[in-house]
Amino acid sequence: MNFTDIQDQFNQYVISNYSRFPVCMVRGVGSRLWDTEGREYLDLFPGWGVAGLGHCHPAVADAIAKQAHKLIHVANHYYNEEQGAFSEILATRAGGRKVFFCNSGAEANEAAIKLSRLARQPRYKIITMQHSFHGRTLGAISATGQPEYQAGFTPVVPGFSYARMNDLASVVELVDADTCAIMVEPVQGEGGVVPATPEFLQGLRKLCDDKNLVLVFDEVQTSPCRLGEWFGYQYFGVEPDIITTAKAIAGGMPMAAMLARPDIAAALKPGTHASTFGGHSLGCAAGIAAFKAMEDEKVMDNVKTLGPWLDERLGALVGPERGVKAVRRCGFMVGIDLTFPGSDLVADCRNHGLLINCTHGTVLRMLPALNISKEDLDQGVAILDECLDRAVKRSGSVRLTARQ
């Protein structure tokens, strides 16, 4: 089928809840994608961060193929070898926590919300941050501190309130006798790549200890290895009680997990929560292979080595003549603040073979594969540089946006 046929098929049969670019991808290898017309793209936002080892990593693909001929899925009433092995890999790298498997970051956050309430019942209120993003389910958008994601779905789940990121006093003000937990992204991803300060996270830890609250880190984007450590909490040196992770943990397969301290995990008894596909053998086999590949390829060293170089390379783009206000990088999470709307720039980059993302209208985002080469990163920045030149010329003048 050519692209027009595929597009017509989508228009007829697929619900239009995504704004889709006029491209159909048919093949991927590493940080490269190819479309139906044979055009090649350098992907610096692979799968919204899912392809942490790039597209179709051979070790992950081989593990999936092998497992598919052995056992794909079995009900969670039974044990399966792959789930046990993958849970040990995750738990030991996260400081001895216990693991609940599900399929997406939103589901992992739903599990964390339920467990926090169970562990501190009858308390039920949870404090999250403004500009946070925790997923698209009803509970997850209720936790998300962005009203635009709640529009049309009110009333949202009660019990959520929103503090200001990196403002401990604003969190303290919201704590009351019904508060059970605080939930935070160590680095806000969709919110514009905004890192928490170590002092803020340390303050949250002390507050939770003093008030007997559960501290939840939403690490759907910051783990595994995205910040140069297995988990983001290790980068910041602050221990949460619950961690949620997803996206890259299984090399591209749908897979997510909630990891909790054993004493808190004990509240999740049979019948309190479940996931039909959670911990399925196929996904766990992919996860085992993905973590081994991350270890073998020393991707954490790659993040730590290329990060400072990337700061220098991207820092050269900052300036009013380029329409770039600032660059924020934490590990392999990059946010670039523009002084003009970024949608046309993203389209121009795509037309010139570079795939990136824009959030909140004026923040470019990149989540490059953890094993990407310096040469590929350099090529990506060079394409972005050229596209910025064209964008500024098109705009005629550079205007600061109102968003801070």
Side-chain angles (χ1 to χ4, degrees), residues 86-99 217 219 223-224 229-234 238-245 249 257-262 291:
F86 192 32
S87 64
E88 182 178 1
I89 287 170
L90 290 172
T92 55
R93 284 158 180 77
R97 289 169 172 80
K98 301 195 80 171
V99 184
F217 278 12
E219 293 219 31
S223 65
E229 304 289 346
W230 285 114
F231 290 89
Y233 84 86
Q234 295 157 338
V238 177
E239 288 258 357
D241 302 306
I242 296 175
I243 302 164
T244 60
T245 184
I249 67 168
M258 176 190 69
L259 299 90
R261 275 180 20 207
F291 269 70

Side-chain angles (χ1 to χ4, degrees), residues 9 19 39-40 52 73 78-79 84 86 109 145 216 219 246 266 271 276 305 388:
Q9 190 178 54
S19 297
R39 290 174 297 208
E40 181 179 328
H73 171 73
Y78 308 102
Y79 294 88
F86 192 32
N109 286 332
V216 181
E219 293 219 31
T276 296
T305 299
L388 276 168

Side-chain angles (χ1 to χ4, degrees), residues 307-319:
W309 172 85
L310 194 54
D311 288 337
E312 183 179 349
R313 190 75 173 82
L314 290 172
L317 304 180
V318 177

Side-chain angles (χ1 to χ4, degrees), residues 94 97-100 108-120 126 180-186 205 208 213-219 231 233 238-245 257-268:
R97 289 169 172 80
K98 301 195 80 171
V99 184
F100 168 82
N109 286 332
E110 289 278 356
I113 290 165
K114 288 180 69 174
L115 178 54
S116 296
R117 289 183 168 185
L118 275 174
R120 295 294 182 263
I126 298 175
C180 69
I182 298 170
M183 187 175 191
V184 63
E185 299 158 277
R205 178 68 274 171
C208 288
L213 311 178
V214 177
L215 181 58
V216 181
F217 278 12
D218 176 345
E219 293 219 31
F231 290 89
Y233 84 86
V238 177
E239 288 258 357
D241 302 306
I242 296 175
I243 302 164
T244 60
T245 184
M258 176 190 69
L259 299 90
R261 275 180 20 207
D263 59 310
I264 292 175
L268 211 62

Side-chain angles (χ1 to χ4, degrees), residues 131-149:
H131 303 300
S132 60
F133 182 79
H134 299 291
R136 300 278 189 165
T137 57
L138 189 58
I141 63 167
S142 302
T144 293
Q146 300 187 59
E148 57 265 38
Y149 288 109

Side-chain angles (χ1 to χ4, degrees), residues 25 34 46 95 116 151 156 162 197 224 235 269 274 291 357 368 370 384:
M25 300 302 182
W34 289 264
S116 296
V156 296
Y162 316 103
T197 64
Y235 174 88
K269 302 183 187 306
F291 269 70
N357 174 257
L370 302 167
L384 175 60

